[in-house]
Amino acid sequence: MAIRDKLLEKLRHASKTFPWNDLVTLLNHLGYEKQEMAGSRVRFYNPKTKHMIRLHRPHPESVIKGGALRDIKNTLKAEGYL
């Protein structure tokens, strides 16, 4: 099983938290380019699909949780990845 598939499966089953570094790696494997913005804002852009995801880098913890996790899962479902 490829890294992409393992991370998609891990995200699919994540109910409370998901590691930020795993999310960055997953989005990179899905074709998204990470673009740092002002402060803790981060934009992920997929030039092939023209799709953009905007997030705040979590701090002080390095995990996505709550509404941000739900939004990522819904977005990736809508894009056909989950």
Side-chain angles (χ1 to χ4, degrees), residues 17-58:
T17 63
F18 191 78
W20 172 255
N21 290 335
D22 286 353
L23 179 63
V24 172
T25 300
L26 173 60
L27 291 175
N28 183 272
H29 281 277
L30 295 176
Y32 287 85
E33 299 170 356
K34 180 181 171 190
Q35 301 169 340
E36 297 285 339
M37 309 289 287
S40 64
R41 289 176 283 190
V42 181
R43 177 172 47 202
F44 294 92
Y45 179 71
N46 189 325
K48 185 176 178 182
T49 64
K50 308 274 192 262
H51 184 254
M52 187 178 303
I53 299 171
R54 293 179 190 93
L55 295 168
H56 280 88
R57 188 179 323 100

Side-chain angles (χ1 to χ4, degrees), residues 53-68:
I53 299 171
R54 293 179 190 93
L55 295 168
H56 280 88
R57 188 179 323 100
H59 53 80
E61 300 167 340
S62 60
V63 295
I64 299 293
K65 56 186 172 182

